[in-house]
Structures are given as structure tokens and as C-alpha cells.
Amino acid sequence: MVIISDRLYVGASMENIKKDVIKGLKKRQFQPGLYCITLPQEDGNILDIRRAITLRDYTVKAGKFSFGLRFKKSAVDDIIVVGIALGRSEAVDLASQIVQDIYNNTNTFDTRNYFGY
């Protein structure tokens, strides 16, 4: 299941279209160039950067509400989106900002705790 964090970070080029992009994620619409920064799926990673299209196989959940568009079942745990960006370069910059904010606020790199998951 895809969960969109309440503390979602948004790249500069996405700020004006944030609501539309989130609606598109919930509806599983193809959004060219959209990248999502997610909490890591593997131990040892701080964050993952992935194309939004790779999230289409999961059910989307925003906060406490599930948008039950169930596609393929997967052995992977919930995917928690903590950032959205247009293009890989902006996604890398945004992920860097997120990591810096986490460290500045917690003196750790505990992303799950910072976002409440």
C-alpha cells in the first residue's frame, strides 16, 4: 500500500500543482517525470527515490483514508511517500534537504521516527 505522509516535502517546481499531483497518485494516473521520495524498503538506506509509475501496483492511502485501488499484491511492506519532485535532479535535491532536516531536528538519520512511521 502507498501511504502519502502528512509531512510531505514538495519540490520547488511542484509547489503550485501539489494537490493535482497527489490526486493523480491516488487515481494511479501516469504523471511523466514525477519522482517520489519514500521511506527505505531495505535496511541501510536512509531514503529511496523512485519513479511514481513504479507505485502503480500498490493501494494508495493518504493519512487514515484508503483509496482501495488494489492492483498486484506484493511481498513489499507499505511504501510511504515523504516527498514528490519533478525530475530526478529535483528529487535528489529534495532528498538531500529531507535528510538535512531530519539530522538538524533529531541529530540522527532515523527517517521512520521523524515521519512517524
Side-chain angles (χ1 to χ4, degrees):
M1 179 180 311
V2 174
I3 298 170
I4 300 170
S5 173
D6 293 333
R7 295 181 82 172
L8 186 69
Y9 280 70
V10 179
S13 63
M14 306 292 289
E15 196 61 47
N16 293 333
I17 57 172
K18 172 183 167 182
K19 289 181 182 179
D20 292 333
V21 170
I22 292 171
K23 281 182 190 177
L25 280 173
K26 291 175 187 175
K27 291 181 179 181
R28 305 263 196 248
Q29 293 174 338
F30 175 65
Q31 299 183 72
L34 179 63
Y35 279 77
C36 294
I37 295 121
T38 65
L39 293 184
Q41 293 293 298
E42 296 182 23
D43 291 338
N45 291 353
I46 296 174
L47 294 169
D48 291 338
I49 298 174
R50 57 179 80 217
R51 291 180 185 191
I53 196 165
T54 65
L55 304 179
R56 293 180 69 176
D57 293 338
Y58 300 92
T59 299
V60 176
K61 183 176 179 184
K64 298 177 183 172
F65 303 100
S66 179
F67 297 89
L69 301 169
R70 296 184 193 276
F71 287 80
K72 296 179 188 174
K73 295 246 179 186
S74 174
V76 177
D77 293 334
D78 291 343
I79 294 176
I80 300 163
V81 177
V82 297
I84 54 175
L86 185 59
R88 180 142 179 94
S89 178
E90 186 174 85
V92 170
D93 290 344
L94 187 60
S96 176
Q97 177 189 344
I98 293 169
V99 170
Q100 187 67 45
D101 286 353
I102 291 168
Y103 187 77
N104 288 342
N105 288 299
T106 68
N107 289 326
T108 70
F109 294 107
D110 186 356
T111 53
R112 290 197 176 272
N113 188 44
Y114 179 79
F115 286 101
Y117 296 96

